[in-house]
Structure formats: C-alpha cells, structure tokens
Amino acid sequence: KWANHTDLREKNRELIKLAYVYKDYEGLIDGLMKEIKINPKKAELHYSLAGIQGIRSLEVSKIFAPPYLRGMIQNFEKALQLSPQFIPAIEAYIEVLCKIPSLFGGSKEKAKEWVEYLKKISPLDGALAEAFFIRETQGFSAAIPMYRSVFEQLQTEAFCDAPAVFFQEKSINYPYKIAEMVVLTSSSPEVGLCAINYFIEKASLYYNLPMEWAYYRKGQLLKRQVEDVLAKSMFKKALEINPKFE
C-alpha cells in the first residue's frame, strides 16, 4: 500500500510538471489540490495554488471567475497563516487585495495593513509594496518617486553584484517586475538590466510570463543606455519567440 501511495504521488507530481509545460491551469489546480490533501501545512503549495487560481480567473468569462477569485484569496490567507513571513505570498496578497472587488475578498484597507507589516520585516520589499499600493490608490504618477527611490537604493547597495541574494526569497516573477517598473518609471537602467538578466538566466517551466516580454524589456533598457545594436537584437529575439508579438 505504501508503495502504491508513493507511486501515485510521483505520478501526480509528473502531471503537475506537464500541466505547467502546457499551461493546463485546470490540471494544475487539480494536481495542487491533491498535493495539499497530502501535505496541508505546506505554505508554498497554498501559495502556488492561489497564483494558478488567479491566472485561471483571467482566462474564464466573468460569470465563472468568482470561485477562482475566492479560492485565490483563501489560499493566500492559508499560506500566510502557515508562514506569516512568507514574503512572496505577502506581496501577491497585497496585489490581489488591491485589484479584486470587495465582493470577492478585495480590501485596500487590509492591503495597507499588510504593506505596513511587510515594511517592518523587510523594509525594501515593504517600500516596493507601498509604491504598488500608491499606484493602485492614487495613480501611477504618484508612485514614481517611491519606485525611483527604491531603485536608487538598490544601485547604492551594489544589487548587481549579487542579484541572486536579493531574489532568493522572492517570487519567480519578481525580477521581471523590477525590470518592468524601471522601464516605466525611467529609473536606473543598470538595476533593470541586472534584474531582467537574472530572470532570463533562471528561465523555468514554472514561469507564467511569456519570455518575449523579458527580451522586449531588456531591449528597452539597452536602448536607454544607447546600446542600439544590442537593443535591436533583443527585439529580434522577442519576435523569434513570438512573431505576432505586437
């Protein structure tokens, strides 16, 4: 019986990997739910399931989205009950609290509380979360000074010397988000390039951001540094990955 149980777990994990490869989000939800039944106290599983439920909510029509949205909120909350200092879950939870309607569990007041909590346990991550909160509540232009301040601090702290240290406890999309915000706020291109290079270097089947966007952002950053030939090669690479990438 024990051998059969182990075989079933291995089979489920292989199905989860395949679901990631083929972006089968229903298959992923089913597989992660089975994993959670076996190991209900693993925060990372609840965090992963919440993320996939969020992606799935954007794929289906609005009529069918509410169960995924509620499930996403519940699983982020469960992950944080199990591991209150799990920074990727805190960051993602703040984002969804800001973005989804209160009917499904959204709450800007609760998001602000989590921002203040994150600032206490990780000041730099808290500052980025606060910039996001300002962006969502006051508009993008109001958040630019805080984003620029954070990126200046990263540059001062020699972030590019060891990006792996900074990103080791972050979500897999975090380096891309840094690069994207550097582009959109016209901040330090050096910081953005270090972040996007790390994202590209660590490319994984678990990514849910298309890689053409990574090369597009890298091209924009290189263009900011007047590296036009290299920038052009990045835009070309993006189009090789997806010829329909407008």
Side-chain angles (χ1 to χ4, degrees):
K1 287 183 180 179
W2 181 84
N4 288 339
H5 182 67
T6 303
D7 289 344
L8 285 172
R9 285 196 70 181
E10 286 303 316
K11 184 178 180 182
N12 188 54
R13 287 172 181 172
E14 287 301 315
L15 287 172
I16 288 172
K17 285 182 183 178
L18 279 172
Y20 271 112
V21 170
Y22 292 103
K23 308 302 180 191
D24 172 14
Y25 296 119
E26 283 296 335
L28 270 172
I29 289 169
D30 181 61
L32 288 167
M33 283 182 167
K34 287 175 181 175
E35 283 291 302
I36 287 170
K37 282 183 180 178
I38 296 165
N39 196 348
K41 294 187 177 181
K42 191 170 183 179
E44 291 85 353
L45 287 173
H46 290 279
Y47 164 72
S48 296
L49 177 56
I52 298 303
Q53 288 171 319
I55 293 169
R56 186 63 178 143
S57 73
L58 298 173
E59 287 192 330
V60 300
S61 71
K62 290 182 179 180
I63 298 173
F64 299 110
Y68 296 104
L69 293 173
R70 293 192 183 99
M72 174 178 63
I73 287 285
Q74 289 166 5
N75 278 293
F76 277 136
E77 289 174 347
K78 185 64 179 176
L80 290 169
Q81 286 170 12
L82 293 167
S83 182
Q85 295 194 8
F86 186 16
I87 290 176
I90 297 171
E91 291 162 349
Y93 190 43
I94 289 168
E95 290 188 12
V96 301
L97 285 172
C98 286
K99 285 184 172 293
I100 71 171
S102 57
L103 180 64
F104 308 120
S107 167
K108 289 184 172 64
E109 293 78 13
K110 193 181 287 188
K112 180 61 175 171
E113 291 172 7
W114 278 98
V115 167
E116 295 303 319
Y117 172 71
L118 183 55
K119 283 163 68 177
K120 289 176 183 175
I121 64 172
S122 179
L124 200 60
D125 294 312
L128 281 168
E130 186 168 23
F132 173 82
F133 181 80
I134 293 169
R135 174 183 168 185
E136 291 297 308
T137 56
Q138 299 176 39
F140 185 78
S141 59
I144 290 175
M146 179 156 282
Y147 276 119
R148 285 180 176 168
S149 174
V150 173
F151 299 142
E152 284 170 14
Q153 187 178 343
L154 282 175
Q155 191 163 7
T156 312
E157 292 180 0
F159 156 73
C160 287
D161 292 344
V165 175
F166 180 77
F167 290 126
Q168 65 182 348
E169 293 182 357
K170 307 294 192 296
S171 70
I172 57 174
N173 292 333
Y174 205 81
Y176 176 86
K177 290 180 181 179
I178 294 280
E180 180 181 54
M181 293 315 302
V182 166
V183 170
L184 297 179
T185 59
S186 300
S187 302
S188 164
E190 293 84 2
V191 168
L193 280 168
C194 291
I196 205 65
N197 284 337
Y198 182 86
F199 183 79
I200 291 169
E201 179 189 339
K202 300 296 180 181
S204 156
L205 64 88
Y206 300 106
Y207 278 10
N208 52 48
L209 282 168
M211 285 303 294
E212 60 264 32
W213 276 96
Y215 287 100
Y216 172 60
R217 293 302 185 198
K218 185 171 180 178
Q220 289 179 303
L221 291 160
L222 287 165
K223 197 165 177 61
R224 284 269 312 283
Q225 289 190 317
V226 201
E227 295 279 2
D228 290 348
V229 174
L230 284 174
K232 185 177 179 180
S233 69
M234 293 301 106
F235 296 139
K236 185 179 179 183
K237 177 70 175 177
L239 288 168
E240 285 171 1
I241 295 170
N242 180 4
K244 296 181 179 179
F245 184 33
E246 293 183 9

